[in-house]
Amino acid sequence: MNRWVAGARPRTLTAAFAPVVVGTALAAGEGHVIAWRAGAALVVAVALQVGTNYANDYSDGVRGTDTKRAGPLRLTASGVAAPAAVRNAAALAFGVAAVVGLTLAIAVDLRLLVVGAVAIAAAVLYTGGPRPYGYSGLGEVAVLVFFGCVATAGSAYVQLERVPAGAWWGAVAVGLLACAILLANNIRDIDTDRATGKRTLPVLVGAPAARGFFVACLAGAFLAVAAVGVLYPPALIALAALPLAVHPVRLVMTRRDPPSLVAALVATARLELVVAVLLSIGLVTA
């Protein structure tokens, strides 16, 4: 069981938690939250990310791009789980997301089924299929779209059946922090990704530019927090998390060894969690 938990990459699941909390907090600030819908949105987001992680593990493993990779356990490449078992785990996670998402769609808006189908397709095709877009430098774009805009706006929508303006700025804040998590991961893997033909954004632009993108994502996230604060002043409390950005920035800008870059990833995930919680507290009290 421990290997399956490790293979789900639990330290990155803040990227699923953060947008749901922020979107739900926006609705709570307007005095309208239906608890089961909030729980269902969280289950969908977490199941989608777990499914994505397993699907990525499977696809990279069978392509041979994970053979020499540092970082969290890769179930397929390490041989601790059969490829078919990892593929089935991904399918199970996506199945959970689909069933719970269907329940939400029936209760709120059947158009959410289209959003869910696109999200699952994007998760599978990230490193799967004949032309995985994760191998073409588009992974960060997908993260911003799905773990920023879609998840944040969607979590607000299932409560209010509309998307308040603040949801888009909140989506940018958590989405850019999720992008930074992926950048830290891909900066760590530049050499092995380049050797195996996996053309992530850091491989395409080079390590110095990728490190600059990482810093830009963190700066952009806090600018988005400030924008939320213009609409909901108590949300400015999330700027108190700014000192937590110093450690991951220092690691990414000065270190090259995989353990330090794994630490940067974890610190960035922690930063996203703290920003989301503080932002949510501000939004609820606005």
Side-chain angles (χ1 to χ4, degrees):
M1 179 59 71
N2 288 341
R3 66 185 182 182
W4 289 102
V5 173
R9 305 174 203 176
R11 290 183 293 189
T12 68
L13 294 183
T14 54
F17 175 83
V20 176
V21 170
V22 171
T24 304
L26 276 160
E30 298 196 15
H32 187 87
V33 169
I34 300 174
W36 78 263
R37 292 186 185 181
L42 183 60
V43 169
V44 170
V46 172
L48 280 173
Q49 185 168 0
V50 170
T52 301
N53 289 343
Y54 283 144
N56 174 250
D57 186 304
Y58 167 77
S59 296
D60 277 349
V62 297
R63 290 178 189 272
T65 56
D66 268 351
T67 305
K68 297 181 180 179
R69 182 158 303 175
L73 173 69
R74 299 309 202 270
L75 297 166
T76 307
S78 67
V80 301
V86 180
R87 182 189 61 212
N88 291 341
L92 176 61
F94 290 140
V96 170
V99 170
V100 179
L102 173 62
T103 304
L104 270 175
I106 291 171
V108 180
D109 187 336
L110 288 176
R111 290 176 295 181
L112 292 174
L113 292 175
V114 177
V115 177
V118 172
I120 291 174
V124 172
L125 296 175
Y126 172 54
T127 55
R131 298 187 65 180
Y133 64 86
Y135 285 25
S136 300
L138 296 175
E140 285 77 9
V141 174
V143 165
L144 179 60
V145 170
F146 290 102
F147 287 98
C149 297
V150 172
T152 308
S155 296
Y157 187 82
V158 299
Q159 299 293 341
L160 301 172
E161 298 189 28
R162 58 183 176 83
V163 181
W168 300 113
W169 287 113
V172 172
V174 296
L176 286 176
L177 290 169
C179 287
I181 294 172
L182 182 58
L183 278 166
N185 180 83
N186 289 342
I187 290 169
R188 181 198 68 212
D189 293 336
I190 283 178
D191 291 337
T192 55
D193 284 341
R194 183 182 290 119
T196 56
K198 185 174 182 179
R199 300 167 71 244
T200 63
L201 181 61
V203 168
L204 290 173
V205 303
R211 294 186 187 101
F213 284 152
F214 178 87
V215 175
C217 282
L218 297 192
F222 281 102
L223 287 174
V225 167
V228 176
V230 172
L231 299 171
Y232 308 92
L236 292 173
I237 190 176
L239 293 177
L242 188 55
L244 295 179
V246 174
H247 181 53
V249 167
R250 182 181 295 123
L251 288 173
V252 168
M253 297 301 292
T254 65
R255 303 297 292 269
R256 306 294 182 268
D257 57 297
S260 293
L261 292 171
V262 170
L265 183 155
V266 173
T268 306
R270 185 181 304 120
L271 172 64
E272 182 179 14
L273 177 62
V274 173
V275 167
V277 170
L278 291 177
L279 192 59
S280 298
I281 290 171
L283 290 169
V284 167
T285 59

